[in-house]
Amino acid sequence: MINKDYHVHTDFVDGKDEAENIVIQAIEYGIEEIGFTEHAHVPFDPVCSLSRENTVLYRNRIKNLKEKYQDKIKILCGIEMDFFSDDNAENYDYVIGSIHYLKVKNEIYLIDFSPDHTLECIEKAFNGSKEDFLKYYYEKASLLKEKTDADIIGHFDVISKFENRGVDFSDSDKNIRPYWENAVNYLSEKCVFEVNTGGISRGYKTVPYPDKEKLEFIFNIGGKVVINSDSHSKMNLLYDFDETEKILKSIGFKQFGFKDRKGTWHVQ
Ligand SMILES: [Zn+2]
Ligand SMILES: [Zn+2]
C-alpha cells in the first residue's frame, strides 16, 4: 500500500486545513512522507495563489513542521508552480508544474475552475473550436519544464475535468492525439507525470488524470509516474491510491515516485 503523498494544499491558499493539522492527520493515516505543494504566486491571481508575503510564511511554516515532526514523518516543502507563476524553484525541495490558465491575445482564461469558464474560453478565444483549444493547451503544456522548472507534471489533462458537466472533448480527441503525444515525448525525458486523484475526490471524475490512453502512452515510451492526491482537505490524503495503483499496474507500471531537485528519488 502506498503511504506517501506529494501534492497537498493548505489554508495558505485554497485548502481547508492548516498545515500542522494536515501533518497530524497524515501521521494518523500512517503516512511515511508528505510533500506540501501550495499554489505559487501568480501575478494576476491574488485569490488562488500565494501572496509574496505568504510565500515566505509558507516556507517557514513547512520548515518548522519538518523539524517539529522529524521523528514521526518525513516532510518535503514543494510548490505547485503554474505556467504563469514567478516564484523561484530553487527555494523548494521539488516543483510540480501545472496549467490552470490560458492566455490568448492578452486575455487570461481560467480553465480548471468551472465548466462555464472553460466554455467561455473555447467560445471567445477559439471561436468555439474545441480542437483549437486542445491544441493550444497541449502546446503550452509541452513548455511546462521550461516555464516552471518542474520535476513533476501536474494533472496533465486537467481540461478533461468537466467532461461529465458539459465540456466533452470526445469528438475532438482523435485529432489532437499528436499534440499530447508531442508534449509527453518532450516532457518525459526530464519530468515524472503525476497521476492525480483530485478530480475524483472532488466529485468531477471517476478516474484519475491523465486518462488511461495517455498513461499507456507514457508507459510505452518509458515515462515515469507518481500518484498524488492534490488534496485540499486533510481527509483526502492518499485518496483512491489503491484503485489508482491497480490501474497503473494493469498498464505495466511497477514503481512510482519522483526525483527531487537534489536528484534524490522518492519511491512510493
Ligand atoms: Zn493544480
Ligand atoms: Zn494542486
Side-chain angles (χ1 to χ4, degrees):
M1 210 184 92
I2 288 173
N3 63 354
K4 296 171 183 173
D5 196 338
Y6 300 110
H7 190 157
V8 176
H9 293 279
T10 71
D11 64 357
F12 268 104
V13 183
D14 59 344
K16 265 195 220 152
D17 298 299
E18 202 277 322
E20 184 160 17
N21 290 333
I22 299 172
V23 170
I24 292 166
Q25 182 67 59
I27 294 166
E28 260 174 48
Y29 277 170
I31 290 180
E32 211 180 300
E33 185 165 61
I34 185 170
F36 287 96
T37 49
E38 200 46 278
H39 294 284
H41 181 256
V42 172
F44 54 77
D45 192 346
V47 177
C48 230
S49 75
L50 284 163
S51 64
R52 293 273 184 224
E53 197 187 2
N54 276 349
T55 300
V56 180
L57 294 178
Y58 163 70
R59 283 202 301 266
N60 288 340
R61 184 83 184 116
I62 305 304
K63 189 168 170 260
N64 289 342
L65 292 172
K66 206 185 266 200
E67 283 159 18
K68 184 171 176 185
Y69 290 95
Q70 60 183 334
D71 298 333
K72 296 199 168 94
I73 187 169
K74 285 183 215 150
I75 298 175
L76 298 175
C77 183
I79 192 85
E80 183 174 12
M81 207 82 88
D82 181 76
F83 190 88
F84 294 105
S85 290
D86 55 2
D87 201 350
N88 186 355
E90 293 305 317
N91 293 326
Y92 302 93
D93 291 323
Y94 67 102
V95 171
I96 297 179
S98 307
I99 291 187
H100 304 98
Y101 324 85
L102 288 182
K103 187 177 180 182
V104 193
K105 290 177 202 139
N106 270 331
E107 197 73 44
I108 306 279
Y109 298 92
L110 265 167
I111 51 124
D112 80 332
F113 187 70
S114 77
D116 284 348
H117 280 77
T118 303
L119 290 171
E120 188 197 3
C121 175
I122 296 168
E123 213 40 61
K124 279 196 187 166
F126 300 98
N127 292 321
S129 168
K130 287 181 191 168
E131 215 169 293
D132 289 348
F133 167 81
L134 290 170
K135 284 177 185 170
Y136 190 82
Y137 172 82
Y138 284 115
E139 275 166 12
K140 297 296 164 195
S142 70
L143 302 174
L144 272 171
K145 177 68 186 172
E146 275 93 333
K147 288 294 283 186
T148 69
D149 206 4
D151 304 290
I152 300 172
I153 301 300
H155 44 66
F156 178 64
D157 57 1
V158 73
I159 32 89
S160 70
K161 185 170 182 175
F162 306 118
E163 62 193 356
N164 300 320
R165 301 194 183 186
V167 194
D168 178 16
F169 292 115
S170 50
D171 48 349
S172 347
D173 260 0
K174 227 175 32 219
N175 298 339
I176 59 104
R177 186 174 169 116
Y179 290 85
W180 64 250
E181 277 189 359
N182 267 348
V184 171
N185 274 323
Y186 188 65
L187 294 167
S188 64
E189 285 172 27
K190 287 181 174 165
C191 303
V192 164
F193 287 85
E194 111 180 325
V195 185
N196 180 314
T197 63
I200 312 172
S201 62
R202 278 175 279 180
Y204 292 108
K205 287 173 70 78
T206 53
V207 289
Y209 317 101
D211 63 32
K212 206 170 173 202
E213 201 183 4
K214 296 184 184 75
L215 289 170
E216 281 166 351
F217 184 77
I218 292 168
F219 175 74
N220 287 333
I221 62 160
K224 294 187 170 55
V225 291
V226 58
I227 305 176
N228 279 337
S229 71
D230 199 354
S231 59
H232 288 67
S233 150
K234 62 183 182 177
M235 303 318 289
N236 289 339
L237 293 168
L238 306 182
Y239 195 92
D240 228 13
F241 274 28
D242 287 350
E243 203 49 48
T244 302
E245 190 180 357
K246 272 186 217 156
I247 296 172
L248 293 171
K249 285 194 166 157
S250 77
I251 293 170
F253 288 103
K254 288 191 174 60
Q255 223 183 29
F256 318 105
F258 77 101
K259 201 157 72 171
D260 68 21
R261 302 192 63 76
K262 287 190 184 127
T264 305
W265 274 99
H266 297 262
V267 178
Q268 280 180 309

